[in-house]
Amino acid sequence: MSEREELPEDEDAFRAPLPPDDRIWRHPSELGQLGPTAAEIVALPQRTRRASRVGLIVVGTASAVLLAGVVIALRSASTTTTVASATGITTLGSTTVAFSASPRGTAAPVREPVRRALVRLVATTPSGAVTSTGVLIDDRGTILAAVDALRDASAITVELSDGRSTDAELLDTDPSSGLAVLSTSAPALTGAPVGEMALPLNGAAIKVVGTAAGTTLAKVSLGTVEAMGEHIDLGDGRSAQHLIRIDAPRAGDALGNGITDDQGRLIAVVTAIRGRYLYATPIGIGAAVATSVHANGKVKVAWLGIEGSNADPSWAKRAGVQGGAVVVTRTERSPASTCGLAEGDVIIAIDGQPTPSMAAVATLVRSRQVGDTITITYRHEGLPDATTVRLAEAPSTGR
């Protein structure tokens, strides 16, 4: 596909690829013997997935993560994704499309609400101008962007999709999520439509959308979700956690790119690039970061205070649950230590939303605000139980 060829105009042609093997496993060097035996803990059963649509569910992690710490892993086989179109099969690739809307009666490669929400950021730094993408998430001018793209910026200019240019104010940064929160006072803004506050299914097909340096064109590339719950080193003692790893070509100014599902809804924001992979922060976490900044003037990270692992699959099948997160350790004087959770308990839902993995627990907690009260459904020694707990501020946010 040449750089200026458009993606198929038929949105219904966009289909999820066949899912890779996503069996949950544990690496001995990382885990040792974690929690109860397979006969005592919960599991994540195989799910039937259709290639015609992208399912959304929170699933396991691909590396050791700490939020309430996660120590689990997910193996997936990388695949070459193809997208069926009326003219044949198009392999994964990047294409340039006009920022302007498609003619009436046709479907744009980037759906109109997402297109309007894309902004190009130009940061003035000691080494020169650095360009990146940002995404408007509301109509009052809140922009989510990548921390690394704005490092050492003395000024930031926002170029809107309608051609307007304005200044942006950096409200705060959150290295633990890899996100920066900016604000612009330009009128008549529209935030991107937001997808489910969950992680996309491993192996799901997604779109990466962003702006291109030096042009008013948007960029689109197609990719595949390879793993969830990843964490990466940002340098200077900082790390970003609970990220989605995506195999996709870069789309223009890749940092800050939006990740959308097949309905054109924003589900994540690209916050790091490592080799061939993009790493994106789930929109649930992004929304929580922005809400915290507006409410507190800075980012405050919600904290439960546990470390855990994915539950073993066999128990869940017998128990009739989707899976769970085994509490391996519990931090003293943490919210978890005051609500009755014990080591070996298996968390199966938070506020009624199933948690089939520790990555699910970590993401849902991180998507809440400090001071929020959540209801945790769990199994204690095989018996169902539930508790409520008020989340505290994390002792360290990785700043």
Side-chain angles (χ1 to χ4, degrees), residues 262-281:
D262 64 341
Q263 301 299 312
R265 299 171 300 187
L266 183 69
I267 59 174
V269 176
V270 174
T271 46
I273 303 169
R274 297 292 184 272
R276 62 182 285 186
Y277 296 113
L278 306 178
Y279 289 83
T281 303

Side-chain angles (χ1 to χ4, degrees), residues 35-57:
T37 65
E40 298 171 329
I41 57 180
V42 188
L44 178 61
Q46 295 290 331
R47 294 179 60 87
T48 301
R49 286 172 277 187
R50 296 178 298 171
S52 60
R53 289 291 173 191
V54 177
L56 288 177
I57 185 171

Side-chain angles (χ1 to χ4, degrees), residues 12-66:
D12 288 335
F14 181 56
R15 294 290 186 264
L18 292 176
D21 178 4
D22 61 353
R23 293 171 294 173
I24 294 174
W25 61 290
R26 301 179 184 173
H27 194 288
S29 66
E30 291 181 328
L31 303 182
Q33 179 63 43
L34 292 178
T37 65
E40 298 171 329
I41 57 180
V42 188
L44 178 61
Q46 295 290 331
R47 294 179 60 87
T48 301
R49 286 172 277 187
R50 296 178 298 171
S52 60
R53 289 291 173 191
V54 177
L56 288 177
I57 185 171
V58 185
V59 297
T61 179
S63 62
V65 179
L66 174 66

Side-chain angles (χ1 to χ4, degrees), residues 60-82:
T61 179
S63 62
V65 179
L66 174 66
L67 154 76
V70 180
V71 191
I72 53 180
L74 179 74
R75 185 179 72 184
S76 64
S78 60
T79 58
T80 300
T81 305
T82 59

Side-chain angles (χ1 to χ4, degrees), residues 94-396:
S94 182
T95 184
T96 304
V97 296
F99 238 90
S100 59
S102 293
R104 185 178 298 275
T106 65
V110 182
R111 293 182 183 246
E112 180 66 10
V114 173
R115 182 197 66 81
R116 291 198 304 267
L118 293 175
V119 300
R120 181 168 176 260
L121 303 175
V122 182
T124 302
T125 73
S127 58
V130 176
T131 59
S132 63
T133 298
V135 184
L136 284 161
I137 61 169
D138 59 33
D139 58 6
R140 61 177 175 174
T142 304
I143 300 169
L144 291 180
V147 168
D148 278 357
L150 305 177
R151 187 176 300 193
D152 300 325
S154 59
I156 303 170
T157 300
V158 178
E159 297 176 1
L160 302 172
S161 61
D162 59 8
R164 290 180 292 166
S165 182
T166 183
D167 293 333
E169 178 185 1
L170 178 62
L171 300 181
D172 201 11
T173 62
D174 176 35
S176 68
S177 67
L179 288 170
V181 182
L182 300 89
S183 179
T184 178
S185 59
L189 301 174
T190 303
V194 173
E196 299 294 328
M197 298 298 184
L199 299 178
L201 189 68
N202 194 51
I206 51 80
K207 286 185 179 181
V208 183
V209 297
T211 58
T215 180
T216 57
L217 300 179
K219 295 280 285 186
V220 183
S221 67
L222 307 179
T224 305
V225 172
E226 290 221 337
M228 281 66 67
E230 297 262 286
H231 77 290
I232 59 172
D233 183 12
L234 296 178
D236 302 327
R238 304 172 306 151
S239 64
Q241 303 171 355
H242 321 310
L243 306 181
I244 307 169
R245 188 175 81 227
I246 297 168
D247 187 3
R250 302 180 187 185
D253 298 313
L255 283 176
N257 278 180
I259 305 297
T260 66
D261 61 14
D262 64 341
Q263 301 299 312
R265 299 171 300 187
L266 183 69
I267 59 174
V269 176
V270 174
T271 46
I273 303 169
R274 297 292 184 272
R276 62 182 285 186
Y277 296 113
L278 306 178
Y279 289 83
T281 303
I283 190 57
I285 295 178
V289 168
T291 298
S292 178
V293 170
H294 285 305
N296 307 303
K298 64 177 184 177
V299 178
K300 292 185 176 182
V301 176
W303 179 61
L304 179 59
I306 63 171
E307 293 181 12
S309 67
N310 285 348
D312 187 284
S314 60
W315 191 92
K317 187 174 182 179
R318 296 195 305 271
V321 296
Q322 291 185 11
V326 183
V327 178
V328 176
T329 61
R330 186 187 65 181
T331 304
E332 293 301 319
R333 295 183 295 278
S334 68
S337 68
T338 66
C339 70
L341 281 176
E343 293 179 3
D345 288 348
V346 183
I347 300 173
I348 59 175
I350 291 179
D351 289 339
Q353 183 168 345
T355 54
S357 67
M358 191 62 203
V361 172
T363 301
L364 287 175
V365 170
R366 185 66 176 83
S367 298
R368 301 299 197 271
Q369 297 297 307
V370 173
D372 282 356
T373 297
I374 61 174
T375 298
I376 300 174
T377 305
Y378 63 101
R379 297 294 176 92
H380 176 72
E381 296 181 351
L383 300 176
D385 207 341
T387 186
T388 58
V389 60
R390 185 175 182 180
L391 299 175
E393 183 175 1
S396 173

